[in-house]
Amino acid sequence: MKRGERLRVFAGRSHPQLARDICAHMGIPIGEASIKDFPDGEIDLKVECDVRGADVFVVQPTSPPVHDSLFELLSFIDCLRRASAETITAVIPYFGYARKDRKDEGRVPINAKLVANLIAVAGAHRVVAIDLHAAQIQGFFDIPVDHLYARPVLMEKVRELGADRPIVVSPDVGGTKLARAYAKDLRADLAIVDKRRISGSETVVENVVGDVNNRDVVLVDDMISTGGSISDAARIVKERGAKRVFIVASHAVLCGDAVKKLDACPAETILFTDTIPLRGQRPAKLVQASVAPLLARAIDRIHRSESVSSLFDNSPRDIETR
Ligand code: R5P
């Protein structure tokens, strides 16, 4: 077999449906592997097909349960390296721990960097990620990172919402660049909610910078975790006179009471991608857009050694600098 002639896509247990959808788009069967737990909770993993000399992709968002997802990814990479795969690409549609990307106080770890180190040390040659919380996280890896954007996928659905005199609103200052990219696509104005974080689960909304009165608001964020930031933002824009409110986010982390908060907030549509599987309750006003075709195109190009950045020819460059 010639170098890199074969392509295999495997799924960890955190999002097998997404991996199946990617394979369906590519017209290839999913790689066979058996993943179970030993009685004590340790992972019992075996790849059931030959990968020697192949370009191998493992699809595994490191979403909750974060440590199970992460360790299973590391174990999968180790297994493929020892099975003599030619190249191993970790396809991580949602990269957990991304918010822990700096020391914002003394005596705290930088877990995003730790996770990047672990993935490279396990034996990955490349990472594919979607909407990293901060684009600079690419620099935590000493291996190539193909950073994809969910925006073109979500924008197709946003356009179908038929927003009247839309204004794009970021729920915090940190999300301004992402919101600006959506505003450019929609040729809409931009406003920002002045949010202060008190703890991991508590935020206070102080003000809206910009006039949302009598406008349809498209609230944009990279992730919704507890749902506190976005539901507070939805409420304050409504108080300031917004007509309809639509929530758009790349990653549906949805922990704790997030679904209840989303159901209770005044947004009429909640639009997510499927980078993370929805477990348990689903928001009542949910619309989903799949990243499977985007990931399928990226995997195909990486396997053929073709440009991946050309997938983003229509994307404003400034999103990179968030
Ligand atoms: C913050 O920087 C992020 O972009 C999200 O706004 C935040 O992580 C969402 O968290 P939660 O849903 O818990 O308010």
Side-chain angles (χ1 to χ4, degrees):
M1 186 182 54
K2 289 191 206 129
R3 238 172 112 87
E5 187 179 274
R6 284 193 305 174
L7 164 68
R8 295 238 193 249
V9 176
F10 289 95
R13 285 179 295 183
S14 72
H15 203 346
Q17 184 59 50
L18 179 60
R20 283 195 290 271
D21 292 347
I22 292 169
C23 288
H25 277 280
M26 300 182 75
I28 58 170
I30 195 155
E32 284 167 47
S34 138
I35 318 174
K36 294 177 283 192
D37 290 324
F38 285 111
D40 59 1
E42 292 177 356
I43 294 171
D44 179 10
L45 190 152
K46 185 172 187 324
V47 167
E48 304 280 9
C49 52
D50 179 22
V51 293
R52 189 174 292 268
D55 286 337
V56 177
F57 297 78
V58 184
V59 179
Q60 179 87 330
T62 51
S63 48
V66 178
H67 301 135
D68 290 352
S69 305
L70 175 61
F71 192 80
E72 192 173 279
L73 173 65
L74 299 173
S75 175
F76 222 130
I77 294 169
D78 182 74
C79 168
L80 293 164
R81 180 168 58 93
R82 293 174 195 282
S84 304
E86 179 70 26
T87 65
I88 303 165
T89 299
V91 180
I92 311 174
Y94 167 74
F95 181 78
Y97 274 120
R99 287 176 291 180
K100 206 69 205 150
D101 61 350
R102 62 193 176 282
K103 278 185 76 171
D104 42 12
E105 56 182 314
R107 301 185 298 280
V108 295
I110 304 181
N111 284 333
K113 171 63 178 154
L114 174 61
V115 171
N117 287 348
L118 290 170
I119 290 168
V121 166
H125 298 98
R126 174 182 294 273
V127 167
V128 173
I130 298 181
D131 284 2
L132 287 165
H133 178 63
Q136 303 88 290
I137 290 170
Q138 292 168 74
F140 288 2
F141 290 90
D142 285 329
I143 52 177
V145 177
D146 289 309
H147 186 200
L148 312 180
Y149 307 113
R151 198 177 79 256
V153 175
L154 288 166
M155 270 305 297
E156 278 184 28
K157 301 272 182 194
V158 170
R159 290 206 168 91
E160 288 168 14
L161 297 171
D164 176 37
R165 295 180 68 231
I167 181 163
V168 177
V169 178
S170 172
D172 57 29
V173 175
T176 309
K177 287 235 160 108
L178 180 67
R180 188 180 297 134
Y182 278 85
K184 273 188 187 168
D185 283 354
L186 267 179
R187 296 178 198 280
D189 294 331
L190 176 68
I192 300 163
V193 173
D194 180 16
K195 170 190 101 172
R196 210 159 29 90
R197 184 165 284 283
I198 294 173
S199 70
S201 56
E202 254 187 300
T203 54
V204 183
V205 161
E206 313 263 4
N207 202 359
V208 181
V209 182
D211 185 6
V212 297
N213 187 38
N214 210 24
R215 311 282 292 270
D216 279 353
V217 164
V218 180
L219 261 175
V220 171
D221 209 345
D222 63 329
M223 69 173 83
I224 296 184
S225 184
T226 65
S229 310
I230 209 84
S231 52
D232 285 350
R235 253 184 298 279
I236 195 165
V237 294
K238 205 68 187 156
E239 280 164 24
R240 300 295 156 93
K243 287 195 296 185
R244 295 186 297 167
V245 180
F246 308 106
I247 289 175
V248 179
S250 311
H251 306 298
V253 182
L254 302 187
C255 53
D257 283 340
V259 171
K260 275 190 196 153
K261 285 183 194 159
L262 291 176
D263 285 348
C265 88
E268 65 179 61
T269 302
I270 320 268
L271 174 53
F272 284 126
T273 74
D274 57 354
T275 55
I276 297 176
L278 291 171
R279 299 171 197 274
Q281 279 189 308
R282 304 162 74 90
K285 301 163 263 185
L286 175 75
V287 174
Q288 260 193 313
S290 180
V291 292
L294 173 70
L295 287 170
R297 285 204 302 277
I299 290 172
D300 186 57
R301 286 180 184 218
I302 292 166
H303 175 56
R304 293 171 189 273
S305 297
E306 289 175 2
S307 164
V308 173
S309 59
S310 58
L311 286 173
F312 312 115
D313 280 349
N314 296 322
S315 291
R317 294 176 69 88
D318 64 356
I319 187 74
E320 282 284 1
T321 57
R322 183 178 178 191

